[in-house]
Amino acid sequence: MAAPETSTAAVPTLYTNNTLRNAFGGVLSFFILLLIGVMAFSIRLFSVIKYESVIHEFDPYFNYRVTQFLAKNGIYEFWNWFDDRTWYPLGRVIGGTVYPGLTLTAGTIWWLLNSLNIPLSVETVCVFTAPIFSAFASWATYLLTKEVKGTGAGLTAAALLAMVPSYISRSVAGSYDNEAVAIFALIFTFYLYIKTLNTGSLFYATLNSIAYFYMVCSWGGYTFIINLIPMHVLLCIVTGRFSSRLYIAYAPLVVLGTLLAALVPVVGFNAVMTSEHFASFLVFIIIHVVAFVYYIKGILSPKMFKVAVTLVVSVGLAVCCAVIAVLIALVASSPTKGWSGRSLSLLDPTYASKYIPIIASVSEHQPPTWPSYFMDINVLAFLVPAGIIACFLPLSDASSFVVLYIATSVYFSGVMVRLMLVLAPAACITSGIALSQAFDVFTGSIKFQLTGASSNTEVDAAETSSSTAESQTDAVKTEKPEETAKNRPSRKSKKKEREHGEKPSTEAKAEKKRLLALPLESSVISLLLLVLLGAFYVVHCVWAAAEAYSAPSIVLTSRSHDGLHVFDDFREAYAWLRHNTDVDDKVASWWDYGYQTTAMANRTVIVDNNTWNNTHIATVGTAMSSPERAAWEIFHSLDVKYVLVVFGGLVGYPSDDINKFLWMVRIGGGVFPHIKEPDYLRDGQYRIDSQATPTMLNCLMYKLSYYRFVETDGKGFDRVRQTEIGKKYFKLTHFEEAFTTHHWMVRIYKLKPPKNRIRGKTKKSKSKTSSTTSSPKRSGTKKKNPWQ
Amino acid sequence: MGRTSSTKEDAGALFHSLRSAYAATPVNLKIIDLYVGFAIFTALIQVVYMAMVGSFPFNSFLSGVLSCVGTAVLAGKSNFLSPLFAKDLPPERAFADFVLCNLVLHLVIMNFLG
């Protein structure tokens, strides 16, 4: 390879120089991308190194169980699977209520590897699916940003996305959840949309629809795509950027996309019936109207067009008003205006806390705090505004899409902390653009200052490939007029190849360069500061990945003066259940632990994390809040054999059932009015010490958590609530203790069988007041308890 | 009044100019227009049939209507947008894309038809 030599304006040598440089740049970006993929994969492996290769949290256990079923029984059984080991006695239709994308992806990878005789177990494939797809996601970010601003910005954005802590938190090795593949599908769909917008080719429109189909399969957040893209189309129409490429990018997506979305069983006919999709149909109609108007404008003379406009406006307006009135009447007749509960809580953040306590109680659905922005996207938080400004210079279809994406995702991330994940790619794209532009300006100034303004071709040859394309197309844009007067000057209306043969006027370029050049010292120092900024970002991301987001939450560790303690109580309890109970025994617990119980203990549960049936959960909540006898009645009517309770008082584990008790009372009280929250509160607080209310001290949750607790230290000091318990010595009459784990974190109780012989007279009234602990009749209560 | 008659005159002149301008388009594009019109007409017939007979099974209705709309969209774009069409794609490529998109559309339709 010949060394690039400076020369005067000899076109063939310049041509060779540029091609060599471009080839070198191409190979370099390929290797950079490879390294970015490796880094994205490796930074997520901390939990495997620190703990073990295990599935984390709660939801991934359900996905793991479904993948196991798929791997064992094949796809037809999977589509038709009715699961009778959960939500007893209702069961759950798995085929119709699960987003199949993740499990099908992992199942396909497992099947492929096993058919190639690489015998990886299902668990290994599930654990490592998320890091692999995060590498794909960073490559997709590179492609997307390259379409918007060029290769330099693309590489920067890809590097930022590979490390951003918000994405790491949901895609660490072992976090086998929908977002692991959904974020890749999201970015890839957006990339294909932008590509169709730039090239106007129907091929990319078809690929866009297929990628959208993959996104619908993977995550409920696909409604973000199907609302963002129509919003962007509307924005383009309103700002006068309507073109045939916009039509090709949008109209096939709506038709094909709606059909493909309706194919997925969990979406089904919701694709055309719910308000979440109406925006796309409305904009579909609008874009046809606009295209028709442009067509008429093109074939008529201006005077005739004015006449047509007045005619249409006067007649059409009346018809439009009638149609819209009918539509509004239809939509307003349904109580939620056709939106689902979760989407409504996104639009009105206070909706869930008023009407649906279950949605309000999930910790991921709370609004984020200000520090969490800095924790999750760190340095990007203040690079984003610079990126937004860079998108406006110049504004193209693609960069207006990026601006709209970041604006909407910032709003939604402010509503729910879980949606910070959707903000992360947008933040990386805009920050990548900002950083890359800044680097371009600084390095350009340095080179300009170092080589002087003597030869423009020298400056040409010395520039990096991305800034070459940028400045050349900039100059091209200012000089060449567009074909029609309608289209705004858009950089992307031409193919984006290196236009070597063209020589824009050198004087304009030199003048522009001289004005843009900064002093040498400030450029060097600014470059160093930018690199330092990047270094801080990397350090923070690695720390966040290692310390904050790698906890598997099924195994806990703590450091003390005598070493590392490992709390493996959850798995201990589930293993005990698996080995010491019958296969058909039913286990009742709060819904948090349902997925883990079915997956690891392989026992039927009453409620689990899917929370689709509020009444069933309220039944369990009522049982936990009732006194022993009433709770025994409820559980006995559900065929429950064992009750599982999580208790953190001995070791100081704060996420135990006593801390979650307020939700049991609220959800139970929402359906069964005889559970009243003020009965459990003293001075507006839930207390378990001597000041607690008698209702609280007699309820099942208190008794099951603190039974024999006083034997541990003699005083019954609860380390989480930091106080001694109120009722220390009591016996259980309807339950017996079956198992308590090593650190008392999980306690399992067995229901005592009903008495065979009732002492005394066998009248019905007597059996109600038999010699068990008397349930404290709440005096003056008028509401009938349906369980007595 | 003079106002309304001038409006009527304008409307008449408008229709004349529309018709003459449309008659000036090439024959190929008019044939494609006919195809698009036929597709939309078929969709309308399906909607009227559904209104008369009821919407069960809904998936078949959806796939039928959307297939007509889809073919109308795909075919109509070339004529509809002729004033605005950026001629940067070679026509063979455009036709190949059109065939591919139609293939995918009909594959999905046949799967969804039930």
Side-chain angles (χ1 to χ4, degrees):
Chain A
M1 172 164 115
E5 38 184 81
T6 63
S7 66
T8 53
V11 173
T13 323
L14 181 64
Y15 186 80
T16 324
N17 264 348
N18 264 344
T19 17
L20 274 177
R21 241 168 220 281
N22 288 334
F24 184 61
V27 172
L28 195 62
S29 17
F30 175 72
F31 277 114
I32 292 177
L33 273 181
L34 209 61
L35 281 178
I36 288 177
V38 170
M39 173 177 72
F41 184 82
S42 341
I43 202 174
R44 288 161 167 81
L45 295 183
F46 276 104
S47 68
V48 175
I49 297 172
K50 285 169 71 169
Y51 300 88
E52 58 183 291
S53 163
V54 73
I55 308 240
H56 298 188
E57 301 269 329
F58 302 109
D59 278 359
Y61 273 100
F62 171 68
N63 296 326
Y64 172 54
R65 183 167 159 251
V66 175
T67 317
Q68 272 181 317
F69 185 88
L70 173 69
K72 193 155 72 147
N73 300 12
I75 188 156
Y76 285 108
E77 291 292 327
F78 168 71
W79 279 130
N80 297 324
W81 185 21
F82 179 81
D83 188 20
D84 56 351
R85 296 188 66 81
T86 170
W87 293 94
Y88 185 84
L90 303 166
R92 176 184 173 184
V93 182
I94 298 281
T97 58
V98 77
Y99 280 101
L102 175 72
T103 45
L104 286 179
T105 308
T108 314
I109 295 178
W110 175 85
W111 175 80
L112 204 65
L113 287 177
N114 270 284
S115 59
L116 291 175
N117 270 332
I118 306 174
L120 288 182
S121 71
V122 177
E123 179 171 20
T124 314
V125 171
C126 291
V127 164
F128 288 103
T129 299
I132 293 177
F133 273 83
S134 62
F136 293 161
S138 50
W139 292 339
T141 313
Y142 162 73
L143 289 172
L144 173 58
T145 321
K146 188 167 81 122
E147 283 300 311
V148 179
K149 273 289 181 183
T151 326
L155 289 173
T156 321
L160 289 176
L161 185 85
M163 288 191 293
V164 65
S166 157
Y167 185 33
I168 289 183
S169 72
R170 305 291 304 198
S171 67
V172 82
S175 174
Y176 181 56
D177 207 355
N178 285 337
E179 286 94 350
V181 298
I183 296 295
F184 161 67
L186 180 85
I187 305 177
F188 198 57
T189 310
F190 284 153
Y191 157 64
L192 286 172
Y193 172 66
I194 299 287
K195 185 96 182 168
T196 320
L197 205 53
N198 288 345
T199 58
S201 148
L202 204 52
F203 171 63
Y204 287 109
T206 317
L207 286 183
N208 188 18
S209 309
I210 296 179
Y212 172 66
F213 174 54
Y214 185 52
M215 178 72 192
V216 173
C217 284
S218 310
W219 197 30
Y222 74 91
T223 49
F224 182 64
I225 299 188
I226 203 62
N227 282 309
L228 183 64
I229 293 188
M231 239 197 280
H232 176 244
V233 169
L234 211 54
L235 180 73
C236 283
I237 292 177
V238 162
T239 55
R241 288 179 165 278
F242 178 78
S243 64
S244 67
R245 293 171 287 113
L246 189 71
Y247 184 82
I248 292 178
Y250 184 64
L253 173 70
V254 169
V255 176
L256 214 52
T258 310
L259 269 174
L260 286 168
L263 270 183
V264 180
V266 70
V267 173
F269 296 144
N270 285 345
V272 291
M273 308 261 266
T274 54
S275 299
E276 282 128 1
H277 292 87
F278 280 169
S280 56
F281 300 138
L282 190 66
V283 177
F284 186 66
I285 295 176
I286 290 180
I287 202 176
H288 276 96
V289 168
V290 169
F292 189 60
V293 164
Y294 272 92
Y295 174 67
I296 296 286
K297 206 175 205 179
I299 62 174
L300 283 184
S301 63
K303 183 174 83 72
M304 286 285 106
F305 183 66
K306 276 206 183 48
V307 170
V309 165
T310 46
L311 201 66
V312 166
V313 163
S314 50
V315 169
L317 211 57
V319 174
C320 257
C321 286
V323 168
I324 288 181
V326 167
L327 211 63
I328 288 182
L330 265 177
V331 166
S333 60
S334 83
T336 59
K337 319 265 182 296
W339 294 84
S340 77
R342 284 205 183 165
S343 312
L344 262 181
S345 66
L346 277 182
L347 293 177
D348 171 18
T350 58
Y351 179 78
S353 49
K354 280 187 283 188
Y355 296 109
I356 315 178
I358 284 235
I359 295 186
S361 75
V362 180
S363 66
E364 300 174 317
H365 292 176
Q366 310 302 324
T369 55
W370 281 113
S372 66
Y373 276 95
F374 194 70
M375 169 74 168
D376 272 351
I377 53 175
N378 208 30
V379 153
L380 309 184
F382 46 85
L383 283 178
V384 159
I388 295 180
I389 294 180
C391 281
F392 277 99
L393 319 161
L395 188 68
S396 67
D397 291 343
S399 51
S400 71
F401 178 76
V402 171
V403 170
L404 195 64
Y405 178 25
I406 186 98
T408 47
S409 54
V410 165
Y411 170 72
F412 285 125
S413 74
V415 175
M416 247 195 218
V417 74
R418 183 180 189 183
L419 295 179
M420 290 277 292
L421 186 60
V422 175
L423 172 65
C428 291
I429 294 172
T430 38
S431 319
I433 292 175
L435 266 183
S436 144
Q437 297 280 71
F439 263 95
D440 281 348
V441 167
F442 291 138
T443 49
S445 311
I446 291 179
K447 294 220 161 91
F448 183 74
Q449 301 284 10
L450 283 182
T451 62
S454 56
S455 158
N456 291 325
T457 50
E458 272 181 80
V459 175
D460 257 1
E463 274 172 353
T464 58
S465 52
S466 64
S467 57
T468 308
E470 178 203 338
S471 50
Q472 274 187 337
T473 46
D474 266 354
V476 162
K477 178 194 84 166
T478 51
E479 289 167 11
K480 284 206 167 165
E482 293 297 325
E483 292 117 34
T484 66
K486 297 283 185 303
N487 292 343
R488 286 288 159 78
S490 161
R491 290 196 318 153
K492 303 295 186 286
S493 59
K494 307 183 194 329
K495 274 278 170 68
K496 201 163 167 11
E497 33 230 1
R498 315 277 174 247
E499 294 158 358
H500 304 294
E502 273 178 348
K503 288 295 287 176
S505 75
T506 49
E507 296 86 23
K509 206 158 156 231
E511 185 63 25
K512 194 164 160 202
K513 285 216 116 27
R514 196 178 60 76
L515 287 175
L516 284 180
L518 298 170
L520 182 65
E521 300 80 10
S522 63
S523 307
V524 171
I525 292 183
S526 313
L527 262 186
L528 284 176
L529 286 178
L530 275 185
V531 172
L532 207 61
L533 190 75
F536 278 131
Y537 176 70
V538 171
V539 165
H540 171 84
C541 292
V542 174
W543 170 85
E547 298 298 323
Y549 290 134
S550 287
S553 84
I554 188 133
V555 176
L556 306 162
T557 58
S558 78
R559 285 192 183 280
S560 68
H561 56 274
D562 47 339
L564 185 72
H565 284 283
V566 175
F567 300 91
D568 210 1
D569 287 41
F570 287 103
R571 292 198 288 181
E572 187 184 345
Y574 297 131
W576 183 91
L577 270 179
R578 195 186 189 113
H579 291 127
N580 292 301
T581 59
D582 291 332
V583 174
D584 282 333
D585 283 342
K586 326 280 187 271
V587 178
S589 66
W590 191 232
W591 57 262
D592 286 7
Y593 315 108
Y595 281 157
Q596 284 182 343
T597 312
T598 37
M600 279 197 274
N602 197 25
R603 294 289 173 267
T604 312
V605 290
I606 306 293
V607 288
D608 69 11
N609 308 54
N610 192 29
T611 66
W612 66 269
N613 191 331
N614 196 29
T615 312
H616 221 51
I617 296 182
T619 311
V620 174
T622 309
M624 295 293 193
S625 330
S626 307
E628 253 194 275
R629 181 182 167 81
W632 185 92
E633 298 273 350
I634 297 177
F635 282 140
H636 189 63
S637 74
L638 286 172
D639 290 346
V640 170
K641 196 87 172 298
Y642 292 92
V643 178
L644 187 147
V645 162
V646 170
F647 171 63
L650 184 67
V651 292
Y653 175 61
S655 307
D656 64 351
D657 279 357
I658 292 281
N659 273 355
K660 293 178 191 166
F661 185 60
L662 74 100
W663 292 111
M664 300 185 197
V665 171
R666 279 188 197 163
I667 295 176
V671 179
F672 299 102
H674 69 270
I675 303 282
K676 292 193 278 291
E677 198 173 351
D679 287 344
Y680 299 85
L681 298 173
R682 170 85 66 196
D683 305 326
Q685 279 191 9
Y686 286 90
R687 302 178 68 134
I688 45 94
D689 51 8
S690 49
Q691 297 293 316
T693 59
T695 327
M696 183 78 196
L697 290 176
N698 275 321
C699 74
L700 187 72
M701 180 51 67
Y702 179 90
K703 286 197 168 168
L704 293 188
S705 296
Y706 293 115
Y707 178 63
R708 288 192 314 113
F709 183 51
V710 70
E711 292 170 19
T712 55
D713 61 349
K715 291 196 280 56
F717 185 75
D718 183 342
R719 292 231 175 103
V720 178
R721 267 62 60 175
Q722 297 288 321
T723 163
E724 287 188 14
I725 59 178
K727 192 150 88 164
K728 300 191 190 182
Y729 302 95
F730 55 90
K731 288 202 194 314
L732 291 177
T733 52
H734 286 72
F735 296 85
E736 58 184 3
E737 187 178 0
F739 182 68
T740 299
T741 57
H742 183 215
H743 298 102
W744 287 54
M745 278 174 63
V746 183
R747 311 194 68 182
I748 303 179
Y749 293 84
K750 192 169 168 175
L751 258 71
K752 281 193 186 162
K755 288 188 174 16
N756 274 333
R757 190 170 61 91
I758 298 173
R759 224 180 299 146
K761 302 203 186 76
T762 55
K763 290 218 182 69
K764 257 205 180 148
S765 53
K766 278 285 186 189
S767 69
K768 275 210 160 82
T769 58
S770 59
S771 60
T772 54
T773 54
S774 58
S775 52
K777 295 272 185 254
R778 293 168 200 75
S779 53
T781 173
K782 308 257 185 324
K783 307 274 183 179
K784 219 168 85 61
N785 182 349
W787 296 103
Q788 279 174 354
Chain B
M1 264 91 41
R3 184 85 181 95
T4 42
S5 68
S6 81
T7 322
K8 276 216 191 82
E9 263 173 29
D10 281 343
L14 173 67
F15 281 128
H16 275 303
S17 63
L18 266 180
R19 188 173 300 162
S20 61
Y22 186 66
T25 57
V27 181
N28 305 349
L29 292 181
K30 279 201 263 197
I31 292 181
I32 296 181
D33 272 346
L34 208 59
Y35 175 64
V36 170
F38 174 68
I40 297 187
F41 177 65
T42 317
L44 279 176
I45 288 193
Q46 289 187 30
V47 172
V48 168
Y49 179 73
M50 179 209 80
M52 289 198 303
V53 174
S55 73
F56 181 82
F58 195 56
N59 55 332
S60 317
F61 163 67
L62 261 189
S63 68
V65 169
L66 282 178
S67 79
C68 297
V69 173
T71 44
V73 160
L74 289 178
K77 64 174 181 54
S78 47
N79 179 30
F80 217 32
L81 304 164
S82 48
L84 302 164
F85 211 9
K87 305 271 189 294
D88 52 352
L89 277 183
E92 292 85 13
R93 167 78 191 268
F95 184 68
D97 291 346
F98 171 72
V99 167
L100 174 72
C101 202
N102 261 324
L103 271 178
V104 173
L105 175 71
H106 286 96
L107 180 70
V108 175
I109 296 286
M110 288 201 298
N111 194 6
F112 196 47
L113 213 47

